[in-house]
Amino acid sequence: MSEHTDAPGPEGAAPPPTTPRKDSPGPHPAHHGDPRRTRAPRTPFEALRRLRFPLSSWPWRSLGYLASTVLVGTVLAALIVPITFPLLALGTAVEEIALGREHPTWLLIALLATGLALLLALGPLVAVPVAHLERWRLRMVHPRIASGYRPTGHGPLSWVRARYTEPATWRAFAYLLLLVTVLDAVSWSVLYLFPVMGAYLTALPFVTALGRPVTLFEWTVDDPRLSLPLAFAGVLLLLVTPYVAALTAHGHAALAHLLLEDRGTDDLRSELVEVTRSRARLVDAFEAERRRIERDLHDGAQQRLISLAVQIGLARMDAPPGSDMERALATAHDQAKEAIGSLREIVNGIHPKVLSDRGLPAALPELADRTSVPVRVRVDLPRRLPAHLESTAYYVAAEALGNVAKHAGATEVRLNASLDGDMLVLEAVDDGRGGANPARGTGLTGLADRVAVVGGRVLLSSPHGGPTRLRAEIPCLPSG
């Protein structure tokens, strides 16, 4: 019932432990216990805090991001000219009116109405592929973000209806308008005023030394000595270029996150609920209780059931063939074997052997195969995670699929697991009736408690009518 793709990578080997010398000064106190100092920066703003920022790849990544913004914005502005042509014509008419040329009022109203209609009708459809492109381009300077588009039915009409009735499309449309206007202009200005103008001013003494006069705005410079202050200003512009580019790229990326990131809201009525509870009472309880239950079931109840089934089988062999006693014992024997099978499934569901041996990429598809609702599984984990995190993620997936099978009335579930930087993200999306509420005792509060134990959180979006999106975010620092 499931199809899956996984991308496991080689598990990094931990470096051998080293013994510090007695005269070693040890780690700097400022670095002790600060995770931001121990992991690589994930954004330009984080990289700016490092002394080695100018020598890192972040200035070039930021400049590349701004340059690609100019390219994408210019191409998009040219492509959407047919959509915005009435508005451009209206702007020209307004300028002519300001110069004294008259235009009929009905023409201005028609241009405005036609332009707005075309923009609102076709703009969102253009914004959808642009949003996909921008999410891919954003990875130059920021962590990957998920799409906010909900699944649709079959056929183009169903797709168009879903696109126009979800907030993700209109946020992407707003981003498109900003991209071809404000963001394009800001990126072009930064590139022109700092690296381009800085290089131009720095080269003035060399150009004028060759006897070639240079025109700068309204002035002509032909003396190398007079160009030295300008060259100094150019050097300053080049020195601050990495920082200005990084800040501009970070601001652009933050706006893209705000408008393009999946917020877990797939309908105008949907509401993102963060289900959190106190973790202190559960820090030591979960794993100890799980081990106790698994041991008691395997060594206690399961062994007694097996012994009971053997005794019933022996009694069945001594009973007269075809008698009522033989039939009753046969029924009891079958029920005992079914109980043993059910108990084994329960024990396996608590912590399956495949999870310990091969990790989540193998355990999640096996879990999906045992679910009564068709499940599409996608696992993108380049390395094995710590055992307690894998156990927590498996518990979330099992609980989510169990709730879908019992309460949602869904026809399909999408189960995704991936690493976003140092965060394990597990997401289950179904097309059921929705309306899940942690206050009604559906197990979501306990699920949030389980995730909170490892420092994570559970996000839920389940408007009435569906779909339901359950997202677990679990911090996961790389090992080794």
Side-chain angles (χ1 to χ4, degrees):
M1 279 193 183
S2 68
E3 55 184 67
H4 72 281
T5 58
D6 52 9
E11 188 174 356
T18 59
T19 303
R21 295 173 50 187
K22 293 183 179 180
D23 58 350
S24 174
H28 194 279
H31 291 207
H32 181 68
D34 188 354
R36 292 175 300 179
R37 301 277 187 173
T38 59
R39 66 175 175 83
R42 302 170 62 193
T43 66
F45 189 74
E46 291 181 3
L48 280 171
R49 305 177 185 180
R50 307 294 177 92
L51 293 178
R52 295 181 55 84
F53 166 74
L55 303 179
S56 67
S57 63
W58 283 102
W60 299 106
R61 292 165 64 175
S62 301
L63 287 171
Y65 185 68
L66 296 181
S68 62
T69 298
V70 172
L71 177 62
V72 172
T74 303
V75 172
L76 287 176
L79 291 178
I80 64 174
V81 164
I83 300 177
T84 58
F85 179 77
L87 295 178
L88 296 176
L90 176 62
T92 303
V94 171
E95 291 179 358
E96 293 179 350
I97 291 176
L99 295 176
R101 183 177 176 182
E102 296 293 334
H103 285 279
T105 303
W106 65 267
L107 177 61
L108 301 179
I109 297 176
L111 289 175
L112 178 62
T114 304
L116 291 178
L118 285 175
L119 193 62
L120 293 176
L122 301 178
L125 299 183
V126 177
V128 171
V130 171
H132 287 293
L133 171 64
E134 288 300 291
R135 289 188 189 92
W136 174 80
R137 198 170 63 88
L138 186 65
R139 290 184 291 180
M140 295 174 64
V141 292
H142 259 239
R144 182 177 58 184
I145 59 176
S147 170
Y149 300 118
R150 69 185 183 188
T152 62
H154 299 287
L157 291 180
S158 176
W159 185 88
V160 171
R161 187 184 306 111
R163 297 292 80 86
Y164 278 97
T165 56
E166 63 185 356
T169 300
W170 294 102
R171 293 197 304 269
F173 177 55
Y175 179 82
L176 171 64
L177 296 181
L178 291 173
L179 178 63
V180 299
T181 54
V182 178
L183 297 178
D184 189 17
V186 170
S187 300
W188 187 91
S189 300
V190 170
L191 291 175
Y192 177 77
L193 292 177
F194 289 89
V196 175
M197 185 59 67
Y200 181 76
L201 294 178
T202 304
L204 286 183
F206 303 97
V207 176
T208 54
L210 297 175
R212 298 179 182 178
V214 177
T215 300
L216 182 65
F217 301 112
E218 299 178 357
W219 303 280
T220 300
V221 181
D222 55 4
D223 188 346
R225 292 173 296 178
L226 296 178
S227 63
L228 288 178
L230 297 175
F232 180 73
V235 172
L236 290 180
L237 288 177
L238 291 179
L239 290 177
V240 301
T241 291
Y243 300 92
V244 175
L247 288 174
T248 306
H250 180 77
H252 184 170
L255 179 62
H257 266 277
L258 178 65
L259 295 177
L260 301 181
E261 187 175 17
D262 178 17
R263 302 178 182 178
T265 54
D266 295 322
D267 193 86
L268 291 176
R269 298 169 299 168
S270 65
E271 180 182 7
L272 183 63
V273 180
E274 183 175 346
V275 190
T276 57
R277 290 296 183 268
S278 173
R279 72 183 68 170
R281 66 183 184 273
L282 299 172
V283 171
D284 299 318
F286 274 126
E287 285 303 311
E289 187 67 12
R290 179 191 66 78
R291 289 192 295 268
R292 185 190 66 79
I293 294 175
E294 185 177 2
R295 182 181 63 252
D296 291 348
L297 290 176
H298 185 273
D299 299 338
Q302 182 173 317
Q303 296 303 321
R304 287 194 292 270
L305 277 176
I306 292 175
S307 177
L308 176 62
V310 171
Q311 293 179 11
I312 294 177
L314 293 175
R316 178 183 175 186
M317 294 175 60
D318 294 337
S323 64
D324 292 340
M325 180 181 295
E326 194 272 341
R327 286 191 292 270
L329 290 173
T331 301
H333 195 202
D334 292 338
Q335 291 177 354
K337 290 189 291 185
E338 290 178 1
I340 293 172
S342 300
L343 189 58
R344 284 175 177 169
E345 290 183 0
I346 293 174
V347 173
N348 186 64
I350 294 176
H351 193 83
K353 188 174 185 298
V354 67
L355 181 62
S356 301
D357 294 342
R358 299 168 56 194
L360 285 174
L364 291 182
E366 183 179 279
L367 175 64
D369 288 335
R370 300 200 306 267
T371 304
S372 58
V373 181
V375 182
R376 288 190 296 163
V377 181
R378 182 179 180 274
V379 182
D380 184 11
L381 299 175
R383 55 185 170 85
R384 281 295 298 267
L385 305 179
H388 67 285
L389 298 183
E390 286 188 332
S391 178
T392 300
Y394 184 86
Y395 177 86
V396 172
E399 185 72 16
L401 295 182
N403 284 340
V404 171
K406 294 177 184 177
H407 309 294
T411 60
E412 184 183 58
V413 187
R414 289 185 289 117
L415 182 64
N416 301 326
S418 62
L419 273 180
D420 183 4
D422 296 337
M423 187 74 68
L424 170 62
V425 178
L426 184 74
E427 192 171 58
V429 183
D430 69 76
D431 59 355
R433 64 177 65 95
N437 187 352
R440 292 204 296 263
T442 57
L444 294 174
T445 301
L447 190 64
D449 284 339
R450 178 69 177 262
V451 175
V453 169
V454 292
R457 63 175 184 168
V458 173
L459 303 175
L460 174 68
S461 172
S462 184
H464 288 285
T468 294
R469 181 187 300 270
L470 181 71
R471 178 185 177 96
E473 299 177 351
I474 303 172
C476 178
L477 293 176
S479 61

